[in-house]
Amino acid sequence: MTRPGIREYVLLLLLAGMWGSSFTFIKIGVHAYSPLVVAGGRLTFAALVLWGFAWVRKSELPKGKKAWVSTFFIALIGNAIPFFLISYGETQVDAGLAAILMSTVPLTAVVLAHFFTADEKLTLGKVVGIILGTIGVVVLVGPETLSGLGGEFLFQLAILIAAVGYAVSSLITRNLRDQPRIGSTAVILTFASLMLMPFTLILDQPWTMTWDVEGALSIMYLGVFPTGIAMFLILQLVAAAGTSFLVFNNYLVPAVGVLISFLVLGEVPQPTAILAMVIILAGIAASQVRFTRKSLRVENSDTQVDPIAPVLEKDTLEKSSQVSTKSQNKR
């Protein structure tokens, strides 16, 4: 594994574009439909997309009881519950404050990994990156936004709980590093969809809601792009630059989210957005400084902030192993 280059940074921006746009489209979705409908619909479309990719790539399913139990809890803690809570929170919380609240994901993930894993300890680069990333997010949305904390406590708490769920599920994904990426991801999304759908159908009865084209398209977009297709971009990124590099994408998301809000909703970004982007990118770069060989091995140990992405990482290794086995058999 090599240090990130221009290609990896461009790929990180593409991912940030997809994930950053989710705040805008969740906002559009919850204006038309309930949080359960938005979250359940998003997961259902994402599952369909991943099963399509799994069929095309002929991906295998997870193997072993431990892997299946892990996919279940990742679906619950890292997908079904957080997606609903974020949708619920954004019915009252503005996108800027939601971005600050969600920036606790890498903070929580890195801290939890330090205490609960043997190979994901804090380094000076990670600490500096976290500090710079947090400063960048605050600069982006403006320090005055923090004054809103507590005003809508229940909705803000929902987003914070979702962030903790992402972080906890990132540790569980370590159990899936030897499993097929695409097949495992499809199973996780299916579990998550099945978890929310009964509540959606029984409590909200979406067929009784007024049809809204923008809301429906927003839900489809959330499922296909930020939740589904983004997985394949992650595949390339983690293979080239490692998972620790991906962690700091969470700081890019709010910065890119400002641009998406401008393009989709016509919201003019603040002048501080450019400064925030520079600070955030500096934080990402700082997290990669002075990595030793030992640190590079740590990067490959699958502690990530995205609840579904980590299961994608092993596919390349599996293919290499199969090629090696065939070569030995020929001998």
Side-chain angles (χ1 to χ4, degrees):
M1 186 179 296
T2 59
R3 290 188 178 182
I6 295 177
R7 179 176 175 274
E8 286 68 45
Y9 279 97
V10 170
L11 189 55
L12 196 71
L13 287 171
L14 289 175
L15 282 171
M18 289 187 178
W19 288 335
S21 66
S22 65
F23 287 102
T24 295
F25 287 94
I26 288 173
K27 207 67 166 172
I28 296 174
V30 295
H31 277 312
Y33 299 103
S34 69
L36 270 175
V37 170
V38 173
R42 173 183 183 178
L43 286 167
T44 301
F45 277 108
L48 292 174
V49 170
L50 263 297
W51 279 116
F53 285 140
W55 181 76
V56 171
R57 295 285 297 273
K58 295 179 172 59
S59 176
E60 297 180 351
L61 298 179
K63 299 177 181 178
K65 180 180 178 181
K66 183 178 181 180
W68 281 87
V69 171
S70 296
T71 58
F72 176 84
F73 281 104
I74 293 170
L76 177 65
I77 300 173
N79 289 265
I81 293 176
F83 284 4
F84 165 69
L85 289 177
I86 293 171
S87 297
Y88 172 75
E90 284 206 52
T91 60
Q92 298 295 328
V93 175
D94 62 80
L97 183 54
I100 289 183
L101 295 172
M102 288 305 297
S103 72
T104 59
V105 173
L107 292 168
T108 308
V110 169
V111 172
L112 287 174
H114 178 76
F115 289 104
F116 292 101
T117 70
D119 54 0
E120 285 285 348
K121 301 303 181 182
L122 289 172
T123 64
L124 179 60
K126 288 181 181 180
V127 172
V128 172
I130 289 171
I131 294 173
L132 287 176
T134 303
I135 292 173
V137 171
V138 173
V139 169
L140 171 66
V141 300
E144 67 278 359
T145 308
L146 289 172
S147 62
L149 285 171
E152 299 289 346
F153 177 74
L154 183 62
F155 301 95
Q156 296 161 8
L157 181 62
I159 297 176
L160 280 173
I161 294 174
V164 174
Y166 281 155
V168 172
S169 70
S170 73
L171 299 182
I172 303 176
T173 58
R174 293 163 62 87
N175 298 330
L176 299 179
R177 53 186 153 186
D178 295 325
Q179 301 295 328
R181 290 176 298 190
I182 301 174
S184 297
T185 304
V187 170
I188 289 172
L189 291 171
T190 302
F191 275 151
S193 177
L194 292 175
M195 290 171 186
L196 284 187
M197 274 305 167
F199 296 100
T200 303
L201 297 175
I202 295 172
L203 298 178
D204 287 350
Q205 301 179 353
W207 59 87
T208 64
M209 297 181 179
T210 303
W211 171 258
D212 185 271
V213 176
E214 287 189 355
L217 291 177
S218 296
I219 294 173
M220 292 178 65
Y221 172 85
L222 288 167
V224 174
F225 291 97
T227 313
I229 292 180
M231 301 303 151
F232 288 88
L233 296 181
I234 295 168
L235 181 149
Q236 300 297 326
L237 183 60
V238 296
T243 59
S244 293
F245 181 69
L246 183 62
V247 164
F248 291 87
N249 183 69
N250 283 265
Y251 292 123
L252 269 176
V253 167
V256 178
V258 170
L259 177 60
I260 300 297
S261 297
F262 170 72
L263 295 176
V264 177
L265 302 177
E267 298 178 355
V268 179
Q270 299 178 2
T272 52
I274 296 178
L275 174 60
M277 178 68 79
V278 172
I279 297 174
I280 291 167
L281 289 175
I284 297 172
S287 70
Q288 304 297 309
V289 172
R290 298 175 64 86
F291 268 37
T292 62
R293 290 186 178 182
K294 181 178 180 181
S295 297
L296 289 174
R297 288 198 297 271
V298 168
E299 277 193 358
N300 202 36
S301 61
D302 293 285
T303 296
Q304 297 187 20
V305 296
D306 185 85
I308 320 171
V311 299
L312 299 176
E313 184 171 356
K314 200 61 185 177
D315 190 49
T316 302
L317 296 178
E318 289 176 347
K319 290 183 178 179
S320 298
S321 177
Q322 291 173 2
V323 172
S324 178
T325 301
K326 290 181 181 179
S327 178
Q328 291 177 0
N329 292 336
K330 288 182 180 180
R331 295 191 190 129

